[in-house]
Amino acid sequence: MNKIQVLLTCFALFFTALFSYIYYEYSTFDDNQIRAYTQINRYKIESVRHGYYQWYAHIIVNKSDGKRIFKLYPFEHKYYSQETTYIQNKADSWYYRIPKRGSLYSVIALSSNMQSVEIYEFTGD
């Protein structure tokens, strides 16, 4: 092989590996985020939405995992926010706003039966 063919083969392999890595990260983003917030591995995703500077996931967990999540955060029975109307207060849910990291802030909501979890992630000013 001459040098040009070797260089073209190296570029092709590099870009194939790069696009494979990007696809892998994109396809596992939701699971990685859910595990980071809940620290559990057993759950059923009901819905996931990606929007303009926001991410939302609704998952179903078993009751023992729900109790573990309840112990992770100091939940309150109501969510107060002047920043967004995206989160609707439900009478039977517990809320915790995760402190801001840069321009990212998150809210985790746990139903009172401890089997339904909603995670809201917002970025912006």
Side-chain angles (χ1 to χ4, degrees):
M1 279 204 218
N2 63 24
K3 291 181 181 181
I4 293 175
Q5 288 177 330
V6 170
L7 279 174
L8 288 176
T9 304
C10 288
F11 281 132
L13 289 173
F14 172 75
F15 284 111
T16 302
L18 178 66
F19 287 122
S20 297
Y21 175 74
I22 290 170
Y23 177 75
Y24 170 77
E25 286 296 321
Y26 176 76
S27 64
T28 60
F29 176 79
D30 296 329
D31 286 322
N32 291 340
Q33 290 295 97
I34 291 169
R35 285 186 188 115
Y37 284 112
T38 62
Q39 298 180 7
I40 61 170
N41 293 320
R42 297 178 312 230
Y43 53 85
K44 179 184 174 206
I45 297 176
E46 287 291 306
S47 65
V48 173
R49 289 189 298 230
H50 298 269
Y52 190 67
Y53 296 113
Q54 55 192 353
W55 175 79
Y56 165 81
H58 178 215
I59 62 172
I60 303 297
V61 298
N62 63 32
K63 195 164 189 138
S64 64
D65 286 334
K67 289 179 181 179
R68 285 182 53 207
I69 294 169
F70 190 74
K71 291 177 184 176
L72 281 177
Y73 302 106
F75 284 97
E76 295 180 2
H77 211 56
K78 195 160 178 75
Y79 179 70
Y80 301 98
S81 174
Q82 285 109 12
E83 297 163 345
T84 184
T85 58
Y86 189 69
I87 301 171
Q88 302 297 319
N89 278 314
K90 297 176 187 152
D92 64 340
S93 291
W94 295 90
Y95 297 90
Y96 177 66
R97 178 178 173 163
I98 298 168
K100 209 172 196 179
R101 290 178 281 154
S103 62
L104 171 72
Y105 69 95
S106 307
V107 174
I108 187 165
L110 178 66
S111 65
S112 61
N113 68 1
M114 297 190 184
Q115 294 180 330
S116 175
V117 179
E118 295 179 0
I119 305 166
Y120 304 87
E121 189 174 88
F122 303 97
T123 56
D125 294 338

